[in-house]
Amino acid sequence: MKKWILISTALFALGISGAVGYAIYKINYSHPGRFTSEASMEGLKRTVDGNTLTSYEHPSARITFPPEYEYLGAHRFILYGTVEAEQYIFAASHPDGTTRSLINVQFESILPEIEGAYDYSAAPRAIRIGPLDFYVDADPARRHWLVPNGLPGTDSGRYYSFANERGFPVPKDYIWSRFAYVPEDAPRQEMLILQAEDLTPMGLTAPALRQGGTNADDWEGLRDAQLLKLEQGISIEALK
């Protein structure tokens, strides 16, 4: 009996090692993140004062977040070898200092030699904040056990790693929300406002909120309330 236990344990460990090895192979050799450049804090095109971000183009606007958000910093990089990206990252804490919410304002510009344009017309809804129209969506999400900060070289990987290094790890279970703005006259540019909001205070988990989960019926109402809260918490003013 002991022999079979040892064999079963060895096979299980071998299976786990194989799965991890395959994941590492996929990440390093077949995922577009391998083409993402190193990040730099030099040459940023926007500025931040407190909880207000000022963008001088695409869009030309001043964006202010609720006062509980702390500005963590910004960096820029070439994403997947195709897009120039800048990320401006903010965080809010629970009373015990753990992460309540993360916000990443991400600006992207498709490189001149790359074809294509941004299109979010399939998004489930659209809203307007100040002078800007956004396409909006949200999903329940769980931090991955193998890559808790996201796949290396992805925009989420850069965002979550940046916040984690400054003491704000992404929550285990959270609501992921995206507000996407694409200028009508410049569809190769975009601005994303991305939020990760902790589900812990609600006593909920991402698996429970997904289709077939024990709280799946609560998801639509929770999503709509979270998007409305984020929408009402953001102030956007066009620059003159």
Side-chain angles (χ1 to χ4, degrees), residues 46-190:
R46 285 89 185 174
T47 60
V48 177
D49 182 11
N51 59 337
T52 297
L53 184 154
T54 301
S55 172
Y56 302 97
E57 59 179 3
H58 305 119
S60 179
R62 187 174 292 111
I63 305 164
T64 301
F65 298 101
E68 62 266 27
Y69 281 92
E70 170 189 351
Y71 177 56
L72 302 184
H75 57 188
R76 59 189 296 270
F77 50 89
I78 301 300
L79 178 64
Y80 304 149
T82 61
V83 169
E84 182 180 353
E86 290 187 358
Q87 295 182 332
Y88 296 78
I89 300 167
F90 300 78
S93 301
H94 290 300
D96 64 359
T98 58
T99 306
R100 178 180 73 77
S101 178
L102 296 172
I103 287 179
N104 168 29
V105 188
Q106 183 165 311
F107 299 88
E108 294 187 17
S109 176
I110 298 173
L111 295 176
E113 64 272 21
I114 303 297
E115 296 183 357
Y118 294 104
D119 181 8
Y120 290 90
S121 57
R125 66 183 67 190
I127 63 167
R128 186 173 182 86
I129 304 178
L132 303 182
D133 292 311
F134 291 88
Y135 291 102
V136 178
D137 58 348
D139 281 301
R142 168 165 279 191
R143 187 176 63 218
H144 197 280
W145 67 273
L146 180 60
V147 282
N149 292 323
L151 290 173
T154 61
D155 50 346
S156 59
R158 291 292 172 84
Y159 158 31
Y160 293 146
S161 294
F162 190 97
N164 184 60
E165 289 167 2
R166 286 151 182 81
F168 291 91
V170 64
K172 179 181 178 180
D173 290 280
Y174 56 96
I175 300 175
W176 172 89
S177 303
R178 176 176 63 185
F179 287 18
Y181 165 75
V182 179
E184 289 186 3
D185 60 345
R188 289 169 57 82
Q189 315 276 340
E190 73 168 359

Side-chain angles (χ1 to χ4, degrees), residues 3-15:
K3 178 180 178 181
W4 283 110
I5 292 174
L6 290 173
I7 292 173
S8 297
T9 301
L11 288 174
F12 177 77
L14 185 62

